[in-house]
């Protein structure tokens, strides 16, 4: 848990990391503030956790470690990242855990941000894909209607320009593509 905590804390965009290790570290600073390293022996760590479980911090401890000590939670907070960046860090954390943790341990990324970032990414990709299919279908229908490929493609411009110009400007000015902006593009085609 300490290794994962330290890795998360080393990510520049991570504003706050809380885990059983940070709770243990804070308790150690109170109990033994002469600067020594955290206890490494199982019995010493168990003593610290016993102190936490019978203290006023018991509820806080239970938020991060189950009563049977089978699961521990490492929570991190960051702000201002895009869905793509969140998913990148989730993958990075999973890869780090796979490389560094003992094979008897398992690690899973979870939480609202993972669900939200995954949903927004899939939704934006799906909507962009549907825009491509929509333009293709409209182009075919216009070509059939006007009985000319050239006239059909020219008449497609009023459908394409109101969608591609704002999306292009968003790209130029670095405005992030979100599910809402892609959805507005789909409505503009309609």
């Amino acid at each position: 848990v300490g290794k994962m905590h330290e890795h998360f804390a080393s990510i520049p965009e991570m504003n706050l990391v809380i885990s059983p290790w940070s709770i243990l570290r804070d308790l150690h600073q109170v109990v033994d503030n002469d600067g020594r390293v955290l206890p490494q022996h199982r019995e010493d760590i168990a003593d610290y956790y016993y102190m936490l479980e019978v203290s006023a911090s018991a509820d806080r401890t239970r938020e991060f470690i189950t009563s049977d000590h089978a699961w521990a939670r490492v929570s991190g907070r960051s702000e201002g990242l895009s869905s793509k960046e969140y998913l990148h860090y989730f993958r990075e954390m999973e890869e780090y855990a796979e490389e560094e943790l003992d094979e008897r341990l398992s690690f899973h990324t979870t939480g609202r941000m993972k669900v939200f970032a995954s949903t927004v990414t899939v939704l934006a990709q799906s909507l962009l894909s549907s825009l491509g299919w929509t333009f293709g279908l409209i182009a075919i229908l216009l070509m059939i209607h006007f009985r000319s490929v050239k006239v059909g493609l020219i008449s497609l411009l009023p459908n394409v320009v109101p969608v591609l110009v704002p999306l292009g400007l968003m790209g130029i000015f670095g405005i992030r593509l979100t599910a809402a902006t892609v959805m507005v593009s789909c409505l503009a085609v309609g």
Side-chain angles (χ1 to χ4, degrees):
V1 173
K3 196 181 260 193
M4 294 306 296
H5 179 101
E6 290 300 323
H7 178 69
F8 293 167
S10 72
I11 297 171
E13 287 81 7
M14 199 62 66
N15 299 338
L16 175 69
V17 179
I18 302 174
S19 71
W21 186 86
S22 59
I23 297 169
L24 178 69
R25 182 193 60 209
D26 294 347
L27 176 64
H28 180 69
Q29 288 175 349
V30 170
V31 172
D32 189 5
N33 61 5
D34 66 359
R36 292 187 314 171
V37 297
L38 285 170
Q40 299 298 315
H41 299 295
R42 212 176 242 276
E43 296 82 19
D44 296 334
I45 293 172
D47 289 343
Y48 271 61
Y49 276 113
Y50 177 73
M51 282 190 265
L52 286 169
E53 287 176 355
V54 297
S55 73
S57 298
D59 289 338
R60 183 174 179 216
T61 305
R62 285 187 207 105
E63 289 179 33
F64 293 95
I65 191 163
T66 58
S67 60
D68 62 356
H69 297 93
W71 290 93
R73 180 177 75 160
V74 179
S75 292
R77 182 185 313 160
S78 61
E79 296 172 7
L81 298 178
S82 67
S83 296
K84 185 177 179 181
E85 291 168 322
Y86 274 116
L87 292 176
H88 165 76
Y89 284 121
F90 283 126
R91 274 191 305 279
E92 180 186 305
M93 291 175 209
E94 290 165 353
E95 290 168 4
Y96 178 82
E98 190 174 313
E99 292 172 11
E100 297 293 325
L101 291 183
D102 187 314
E103 63 212 27
R104 296 172 293 173
L105 301 174
S106 63
F107 175 83
H108 308 281
T109 54
T110 62
R112 285 180 284 186
M113 282 315 300
K114 183 171 185 180
V115 172
F116 180 74
S118 298
T119 303
V120 167
T121 301
V122 168
L123 185 59
Q125 290 170 346
S126 173
L127 289 171
L128 284 174
S129 171
S130 71
L131 274 177
W133 283 102
T134 302
F135 286 139
L137 184 59
I138 291 171
I140 291 170
L141 290 173
L142 289 171
M143 288 177 211
I144 292 170
H145 178 72
F146 291 115
R147 297 185 183 145
S148 167
V149 173
K150 185 177 178 182
V151 174
L153 290 176
I154 291 171
S155 64
L156 182 64
L157 286 175
N159 289 298
V160 174
V161 171
V163 175
L164 294 185
V165 168
L167 289 176
L169 289 172
M170 287 175 62
I172 290 170
F173 293 116
I175 299 170
R176 292 184 177 153
L177 191 64
T178 65
T181 55
V182 177
M183 206 174 302
V184 168
S185 300
C186 289
L187 292 173
V189 171

